Amino acid sequence: SMKEGVRQLLKMDIIKQATQAGFEYTGDWWKWKPPGGMMQAVMKAKGAEVVEDEDIIVFRRPVL
């Protein structure tokens, strides 16, 4: 997400919350650039900064 023109990185918070919930971080972390949506195109046309990629962070649930 963007806040005041600066990208907000949530990755470390997500890893912390998921491990507290009992998931194990596998170390797999990818960037994915999905096709842009209509809102993204409108915001870019207005000159706004937009996030063009997504982070994919992989966790697994331990076997009990």
Side-chain angles (χ1 to χ4, degrees):
S1 66
M2 300 292 287
K3 183 176 182 180
E4 298 176 5
V6 178
R7 184 171 182 176
Q8 301 298 303
L9 300 175
L10 307 173
K11 299 173 263 204
M12 299 313 292
D13 291 334
I14 291 169
I15 292 172
K16 182 180 175 183
Q17 290 174 3
T19 52
Q20 287 175 345
F23 291 92
E24 294 176 357
Y25 174 51
T26 65
D28 294 327
W29 187 340
W30 293 289
K31 289 279 190 183
W32 179 55
K33 187 173 181 180
M38 180 58 74
M39 182 57 91
Q40 184 182 43
V42 169
M43 295 305 289
K44 282 175 82 172
K46 290 182 178 183
E49 290 284 326
V50 297
V51 176
E52 295 186 30
D53 61 3
E54 295 181 17
D55 292 309
I56 300 174
I57 305 170
V58 181
F59 295 89
R60 68 181 205 154
R61 186 183 204 160
V63 178
L64 300 175

